[in-house]
Amino acid sequence: MAESEPQPPPESSEETPPATQNFIIPKKEIHTVPDMGKWKRSQAYADYMGFVLTLNEGVKGKKLSVEYTVSEEAENLVATVVPTHLAAAVPEVAVYLRESVGNSTRIDYGTGHEAAFAAFLCCLCKIGVLRVDDQIAIVFKVFNRYLEVMRKLQKTYRMEPAGSQGVWGLDDFQFLPFIWGSSQLIDHPYLEPRHFVDEKAVGENHKDFMFLECILFITEMKTGPFAEHSNQLWNISAVPSWAKVNQGLIRMYKAECLEKFPVIQHFKFGSLLPIHPVTSS
């Protein structure tokens, strides 16, 4: 389970776009399986994975209760969503937020909706509302709260898993918290991957670690032996280190989520996450 070194965050994530930028309503661009090539070569793919890997590095070795700072712009976000001078970006950015809570017709939810929320956060970084030094708060405060809301919706409405691979998938609904959660646990003094299938270890430590919160939620929602209803996770518990788990999950996320047509066919592209080929820096 190996992975290349994390990419640096896209340069635009720390810069406010010029006032003359033309924001556009994101739309679908992936209509057939051959279109997946455009996605994998796109600026959107590069920026999205750069964002995921930047946050992955930011939360490495840290507990959910760690102290973190939030930029003034992010504080404004709580009350106004987007500052007035960036009002033109609202329609474009809002599309990703709307796409992140599942499908209201099918009453389903999956990793494609989760990716839309991550794209929403990525766009907020690209327009300067959130900044790279907010990365811990983005994961622990904003994304973790999103998980809590979606888990409540899953319990209340018994949402169907969208695009689930069943027992052969990592999880019916989420993927990113396993990536970022395993990064949290890298070099932990006593918790090893084998411990996440131990009920006592999960019960004592889940409030500090996103990965263990995911395991707890799975055990609350499913019955029967863990090895049967979550076989992929059971196999991962045999990996010797959290660093290798993290690297393997990043590789798996690309292959099983970002490179699967049923997931990416619903992703939308605009001016902030464009479909055009990645530009050389």
Side-chain angles (χ1 to χ4, degrees):
M1 300 174 79
E3 183 62 32
S4 59
E5 287 297 313
Q7 308 168 30
E11 291 182 4
S12 54
S13 65
E14 293 191 84
E15 300 175 0
T16 301
T20 56
Q21 175 163 341
N22 293 319
F23 295 101
I24 61 176
I25 301 297
K27 62 180 182 178
K28 292 183 180 181
E29 298 280 0
I30 310 302
H31 304 290
T32 64
V33 173
D35 287 339
M36 289 295 288
K38 291 193 299 183
W39 157 243
K40 287 184 278 188
R41 294 189 298 270
S42 72
Q43 189 68 52
Y45 184 94
D47 287 351
Y48 180 86
M49 275 311 303
F51 179 71
V52 168
L53 295 176
T54 295
L55 297 184
N56 188 62
E57 285 297 299
V59 301
K60 186 177 291 183
K62 297 179 176 66
K63 294 183 179 180
L64 285 170
S65 57
V66 69
E67 292 185 4
Y68 46 80
T69 59
V70 183
S71 71
E72 292 181 7
E73 287 282 2
E75 288 291 337
N76 293 336
L77 178 63
V78 175
T80 64
V81 183
V82 169
T84 304
H85 70 281
L86 291 172
V90 171
E92 177 170 347
V93 176
V95 167
Y96 296 104
L97 183 60
R98 287 197 297 269
E99 295 279 321
S100 71
V101 293
N103 185 279
S104 59
T105 301
R106 297 188 299 269
I107 318 297
D108 67 0
Y109 172 83
T111 52
H113 302 105
E114 175 191 66
F117 190 76
F120 166 68
L121 296 176
C122 182
C123 287
L124 291 181
C125 284
K126 295 196 75 171
I127 64 175
V129 172
L130 295 172
R131 303 188 184 281
V132 171
D133 56 7
D134 292 324
Q135 57 192 267
I136 299 176
I138 290 170
V139 177
F140 291 172
K141 190 70 172 179
V142 184
F143 189 82
N144 199 50
R145 179 59 177 151
Y146 166 73
L147 289 179
E148 292 172 359
V149 171
M150 293 316 304
R151 285 167 181 159
K152 185 173 183 178
L153 291 177
Q154 288 161 32
K155 285 182 176 179
T156 302
Y157 298 103
R158 293 293 171 181
M159 301 172 79
E160 290 292 323
S164 171
Q165 300 180 54
V167 69
W168 303 112
L170 183 72
D171 180 73
D172 285 340
F173 300 105
Q174 313 293 161
F175 205 116
L176 290 175
F178 291 96
I179 294 177
W180 296 331
S182 59
S183 184
Q184 278 186 275
L185 287 157
I186 289 175
D187 295 329
H188 192 279
Y190 60 85
L191 286 174
E192 300 174 5
R194 63 188 176 88
H195 289 122
F196 77 74
V197 293
D198 181 287
E199 184 178 343
K200 184 173 183 291
V202 172
E204 292 177 350
N205 297 281
H206 70 91
K207 291 183 179 180
D208 284 328
F209 299 104
M210 189 174 282
F211 194 106
L212 302 185
E213 280 279 9
C214 290
I215 299 298
L216 181 64
F217 183 70
I218 289 172
T219 58
E220 290 174 348
M221 297 295 287
K222 296 187 175 184
T223 58
F226 191 90
E228 292 183 9
H229 63 62
S230 300
N231 187 256
Q232 282 276 29
L233 283 168
W234 177 263
N235 291 337
I236 288 172
S237 70
V239 176
S241 72
W242 286 111
K244 288 190 175 182
V245 169
N246 184 248
Q247 292 165 359
L249 287 175
I250 292 170
R251 185 178 63 184
M252 186 178 178
Y253 183 58
K254 291 179 179 178
E256 300 300 325
C257 295
L258 299 188
E259 297 179 9
K260 294 295 185 182
F261 176 73
V263 176
I264 297 304
Q265 65 176 322
H266 302 296
F267 197 91
K268 295 183 178 178
F269 303 84
S271 70
L272 295 171
L273 292 174
I275 190 64
H276 65 64
V278 63
T279 54
S280 300
S281 55

